[in-house]
Amino acid sequence: VIAGQVGVNPQVEIGEGAVVTGQAGVTKSVAPNDVYAGTPITRLRDWKRERIAAAKLPELLPRIEERLARIERAQAELSEEES
């Protein structure tokens, strides 16, 4: 099954029973009996994980920046102690 607005490169094979969701970009051959989404194409379960992780990035960014600042401060303190 190939849903609407799907782009398929020439020379790729779509396996028997494979499902390609709408607006996907098929850039490589896909295995039979699996569901695919996204551009470039990926298995639907992996695509969902990627989307969930991407949605969490804005809330994680301040924590990452704070930890990087702590590391930089610790490195500066170590450098001062070694001098």
Side-chain angles (χ1 to χ4, degrees):
V1 176
I2 298 177
Q5 296 183 330
V6 171
V8 180
N9 281 356
Q11 312 289 324
V12 299
E13 294 182 23
I14 298 178
E16 182 79 27
V19 176
V20 180
T21 63
Q23 298 183 339
V26 184
T27 57
K28 59 185 176 184
S29 296
V30 297
N33 302 314
D34 213 344
V35 182
Y36 296 86
T39 302
I41 196 135
T42 183
R43 287 194 166 95
L44 182 62
R45 66 177 172 263
D46 297 331
W47 181 83
K48 287 179 180 179
R49 286 186 191 128
E50 291 168 6
R51 299 305 314 143
I52 291 169
K56 291 179 181 178
L57 286 177
E59 70 184 51
L60 292 175
L61 186 58
R63 292 172 57 192
I64 293 168
E65 289 172 339
E66 188 272 329
R67 289 186 178 157
L68 287 172
R70 286 174 54 190
I71 291 169
E72 289 173 1
R73 286 192 302 270
Q75 288 174 332
E77 288 175 11
L78 286 173
S79 293
E80 288 175 9
E81 289 176 7
E82 291 176 352
S83 298

